[in-house]
């Protein structure tokens, strides 16, 4: 198409008048017009063909010293071939430029030997001179003949500071930096690319190419990288690569190390989740990630000064006084880290410091008292006040769960020996500490202890058995007199009267100042049923307590037989009532049933049913069909609202079974029939077949 355009242009130059008005349409790329212009050109020029390019030269790149041929071929050549470089005619030079001026085959190609950038790099064009005044010189489009020149190795510059390979490039984290990568004296200019640890970041850069001022016909390539470096880039490599075809290898590069400065980031190491027990060892380390290296500072709550300035503090062994909140921070030239806190809570076993009152205390009956226990421990210990109950085995009764045991109303039940027990748990292990015993002595009038199993309010025995009544009481000072009293009788403990025995007081071995009083009545009878009162006196007062004795008479055999007979009679009555209800119409005929007559005709209600098969039981006839009241001759107007029954004899089998016909009104309404009362009910003999498995339940 380029040759066609050239031919049309030459023809239009020769015959401007003809194509003056047609020329503007040549830019429309319309093939029809182009063909028209060509035909017109041939018509105007006559039978003599025009010279035109068959092949024109193209852009070419060569390495220094290479020999290259620029192709230029012409059809219908008439003029002489010529070559121009940068607008100046190039002659034939031996061992440098070689081409035919008047080639018979129209090949005007030029051979360029030993290419050099100084001599050969530039813009070239091929021309064929005119052969007449009416023709124009045939000229090819300019092409770029490039003699490659390997550029210098790239270098990295920060403003005016040039970095050497392997140097450290220092910058602060978060700061935006503009870095230059320069490659000079290259032809064509080098292509520059940026990498961080092999990752291409060229998209963050912009390259510009300018003529190198130090060497003609060469270029200076400059790539500007705008980038913000962060902590994670520290220690990585920053690389600029220059790609050029004149290099012996694919590219040349320069690499520098990134030194990103950032403020410290710290973390704590050694804070265990387990309890820190006194006497064990503990190490706390504050690890800082910073560039440049940071200084560690430890502080302890409650102290205004610095606790330590090293990265690790050790407690070996750790003491309870080491308990507190520790904080660490780091600082360097870039900045200071946040402050991290760790709580050191030293656990230690419980220990009782004192108990009060110690070792004994005396309290009057019904007064108040207080026992105090002071202990230490971490975790805070739990308290238990335990009262020793003597005997075998030894029993401890828990009286309270606070450091202070307060009793607002002291009774003899609180008299005895007490200990304070404290406990806590460290790492799943329970530790306890126990105080010395405190003796609590209660004094006052006698008191019967009713909340024990020994003292009974009521005693029940059978006639002719021995009855024992027991009362448990306490008295400090000791009882002066103790006696049983019933009716007008009195019996001191340790004495007896006929069938009555008042045993001597029995001291309680488990609880001091407490006694057990017993009254035994031998072979009791009904007259012994009454209250028996124990009276106790001492120097502080008097206490009385009554025990009720109940003597049960044996039950007579006749009474037992009467009860059994009554139960049997009641059971029989219940069974008969149930049977009656089962046979009554309320249960049996709650559902309507239909029967056939002997002749197989339907009842006057219009309903019919098949007779039951011989092997099935037949529904029972309601009781009012089997029993009748005395006959009366006087007709009575009866309103029939109930089913009407008729006794029918079965034609099947041996005729031993009778069936009842149930006449129900089709509309369910009552019918008034005037008939003698004796005709209302008919009688029949009823026989039932033996029951079989498949029977009808009514």
């Amino acid at each position: 198409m380029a040759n066609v355009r050239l031919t049309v242009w030459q023809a239009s130059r020769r015959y401007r008048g003809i194509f003056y008005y047609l020329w503007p349409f040549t830019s429309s790329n319309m093939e029809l017009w182009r063909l028209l212009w060509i035909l017109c050109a041939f018509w105007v020029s006559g039978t003599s063909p025009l010279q035109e390019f068959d092949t024109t030269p193209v852009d070419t790149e060569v390495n220094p010293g290479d020999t290259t041929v620029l192709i230029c071929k012409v059809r219908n050549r008439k003029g002489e071939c010529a070559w121009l470089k940068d607008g100046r005619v190039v002659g034939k030079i031996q061992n440098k430029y070689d081409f035919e001026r008047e080639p018979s085959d129209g090949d005007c190609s030029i051979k360029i030997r030993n290419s050099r950038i100084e001599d050969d790099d530039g813009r070239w064009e091929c021309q064929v001179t005119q052969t007449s005044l009416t023709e124009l010189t045939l000229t090819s489009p300019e092409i770029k003949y490039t003699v490659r020149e390997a550029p210098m190795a790239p270098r990295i510059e920060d403003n005016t500071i040039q970095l050497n390979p392997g140097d450290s490039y220092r910058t602060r984290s978060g700061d935006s930096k503009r870095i230059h990568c320069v490659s000079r004296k290259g032809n064509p200019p080098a292509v520059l690319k940026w990498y961080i640890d092999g990752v291409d970041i060229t998209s963050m850069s912009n390259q510009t190419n300018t003529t190198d001022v130090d060497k003609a016909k060469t270029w200076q390539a400059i790539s500007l990288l705008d980038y913000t470096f962060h902590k994670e880039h520290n220690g990585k490599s920053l690389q600029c690569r220059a790609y050029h075809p004149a290099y012996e290898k694919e590219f040349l590069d320069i690499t520098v190390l990134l030194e990103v400065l950032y403020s410290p980031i710290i973390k704590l190491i050694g804070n265990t989740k387990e309890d820190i027990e006194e006497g064990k060892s503990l190490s706390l380390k504050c690890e800082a990630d910073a560039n440049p290296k940071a200084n560690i500072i430890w502080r302890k709550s409650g102290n205004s000064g610095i606790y330590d300035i090293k990265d690790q503090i050790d407690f070996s062994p750790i003491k309870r006084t080491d308990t507190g909140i520790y904080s660490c921070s780091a600082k360097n030239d870039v900045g200071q880290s946040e402050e991290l806190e760790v709580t050191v809570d030293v656990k230690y076993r419980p220990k009782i410091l004192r108990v009060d009152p110690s070792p004994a205390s005396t309290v009057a009956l019904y007064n108040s008292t207080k026992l105090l226990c002071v202990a230490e421990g971490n975790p805070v210990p739990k308290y238990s006040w335990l009262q020793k109950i003597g005997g075998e085995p030894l029993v401890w009764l828990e009286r309270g769960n606070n450091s202070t045991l307060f009793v607002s109303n002291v009774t003899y039940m609180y008299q005895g020996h007490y200990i304070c027990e404290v406990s806590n748990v460290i790492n799943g292990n329970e530790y306890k500490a126990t105080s010395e015993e405190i003796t609590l002595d209660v004094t006052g009038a006698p008191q019967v202890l009713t909340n024990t199993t020994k003292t009974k309010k009521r005693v029940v025995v059978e006639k002719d058995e021995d009855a024992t009544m027991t009362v448990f009481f306490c008295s400090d000072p000791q009882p002066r007199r103790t006696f049983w009293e019933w009716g007008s009788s009195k019996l001191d403990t340790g004495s007896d009267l006929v069938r009555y025995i008042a045993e001597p007081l029995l001291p309680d071995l488990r609880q001091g100042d407490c006694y057990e009083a017993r009254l035994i009545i031998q072979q009791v009878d009904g007259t012994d049923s009454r209250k028996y009162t124990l009276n106790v006196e001492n120097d502080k007062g008097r206490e009385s307590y009554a025990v009720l004795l109940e003597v049960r008479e044996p039950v007579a055999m006749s009474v037992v037989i009467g009860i059994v007979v009554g139960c049997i009679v009641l059971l029989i009555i219940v069974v008969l009532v149930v049977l009656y209800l089962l046979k009554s119409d309320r249960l049996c005929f709650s559902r309507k049933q239909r029967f056939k007559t002997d002749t197989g005709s339907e009842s006057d209600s219009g309903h019919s049913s098949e007779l039951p098969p011989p092997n099935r039981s037949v529904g029972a006839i309601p009781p009012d069909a089997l029993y009748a009241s005395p006959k009366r001759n006087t007709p009575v107007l009866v309103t029939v609202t109930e089913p009407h029954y008729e006794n029918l004899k079965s034609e099947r089998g041996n005729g031993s079974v009778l069936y009842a016909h149930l006449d129900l009104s089709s509309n369910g309404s009552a019918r008034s029939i005037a008939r003698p009362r004796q005709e209302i009910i008919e009688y029949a003999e009823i026989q039932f077949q033996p029951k079989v498995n498949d029977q009808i339940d009514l």
Side-chain angles (χ1 to χ4, degrees), residues 51 78-80 128-138:
Q51 59 181 6
K78 299 182 181 66
E80 295 182 354
V128 180
T129 61
Q130 61 187 27
T131 57
S132 66
L133 295 176
T134 60
E135 292 184 356
L136 296 177
T137 301
L138 190 63

Side-chain angles (χ1 to χ4, degrees), residues 384-390 393-401 405 412-421 451-452 510-511:
S384 292
W385 280 101
L386 304 176
Q387 180 183 0
K388 182 169 66 173
I389 307 299
L394 185 64
V395 177
W396 291 91
L397 177 65
E398 188 175 51
R399 285 296 190 181
N401 301 109
L405 175 62
Y412 284 104
M413 292 295 295
Y414 288 93
Q415 179 172 272
H417 301 281
Y418 289 80
I419 60 171
C420 173
E421 183 179 82
N451 56 350
T452 66
R510 300 169 63 92
Q511 190 169 352

Side-chain angles (χ1 to χ4, degrees), residues 7-218:
T7 303
V8 174
W9 179 78
Q10 290 173 341
S12 64
R13 291 273 294 177
R14 183 177 299 178
Y15 303 100
R16 294 182 182 180
I18 298 175
F19 293 100
Y20 179 77
Y21 294 101
L22 297 178
W23 178 249
F25 297 98
T26 59
S27 60
S28 63
N29 293 326
M30 299 175 62
E31 299 297 332
L32 181 61
W33 280 106
R34 291 177 180 176
L35 180 61
L36 179 60
W37 295 336
I38 294 172
L39 293 175
C40 291
F42 277 110
W43 175 76
V44 173
S45 61
T47 58
S48 177
L50 296 176
Q51 59 181 6
E52 58 183 358
F53 284 114
D54 184 40
T55 305
T56 57
V58 295
D59 292 342
T60 305
E61 285 189 14
V62 297
N63 291 325
D66 287 351
T67 298
T68 308
V69 177
L70 298 180
I71 306 297
C72 181
K73 294 182 179 181
V74 183
R75 290 194 299 267
N76 305 318
R77 184 197 62 80
K78 299 182 181 66
E80 295 182 354
C81 297
W83 284 90
L84 280 76
K85 174 182 172 291
D86 294 334
R88 300 178 66 180
V89 178
V90 176
K92 294 181 62 175
I93 301 176
Q94 187 177 6
N95 296 327
K96 186 61 178 177
Y97 304 123
D98 187 13
F99 63 95
E100 294 290 336
R101 294 187 181 275
E102 297 181 354
S104 58
D105 56 357
D107 188 358
C108 298
S109 301
I110 185 174
K111 180 181 289 186
I112 303 175
R113 293 183 174 88
N114 191 22
S115 298
R116 296 179 63 218
I117 188 172
E118 296 85 354
D119 302 328
D120 308 319
D121 188 89
R123 294 192 171 274
W124 292 70
E125 61 180 332
C126 176
Q127 290 186 354
V128 180
T129 61
Q130 61 187 27
T131 57
S132 66
L133 295 176
T134 60
E135 292 184 356
L136 296 177
T137 301
L138 190 63
T139 303
S140 71
E142 285 187 346
I143 60 101
K144 180 69 174 69
Y145 186 79
T146 302
V147 180
R148 299 188 184 109
E149 181 75 13
M152 299 174 62
R155 66 176 186 268
I156 295 177
E157 298 176 353
D158 181 13
N159 295 327
T160 59
I161 301 175
Q162 180 175 337
L163 301 176
N164 297 318
D167 286 353
S168 293
Y169 178 66
R170 176 174 291 189
T171 180
R172 283 175 177 262
S173 176
D175 288 353
S176 179
K177 302 294 291 186
R178 171 168 288 186
I179 313 172
H180 300 75
C181 180
V182 181
S183 177
R184 301 183 60 192
K185 300 179 181 180
N187 189 39
V191 177
L192 303 177
K193 292 187 177 182
W194 291 91
Y195 296 86
I196 294 180
D197 265 8
V199 179
D200 193 341
I201 59 169
T202 308
S203 60
M204 307 296 293
S205 65
N206 183 32
Q207 180 173 338
T208 57
N209 302 316
T210 58
T211 303
D212 198 298
V213 296
D214 293 338
K215 187 174 182 180
K217 298 185 179 182
T218 60

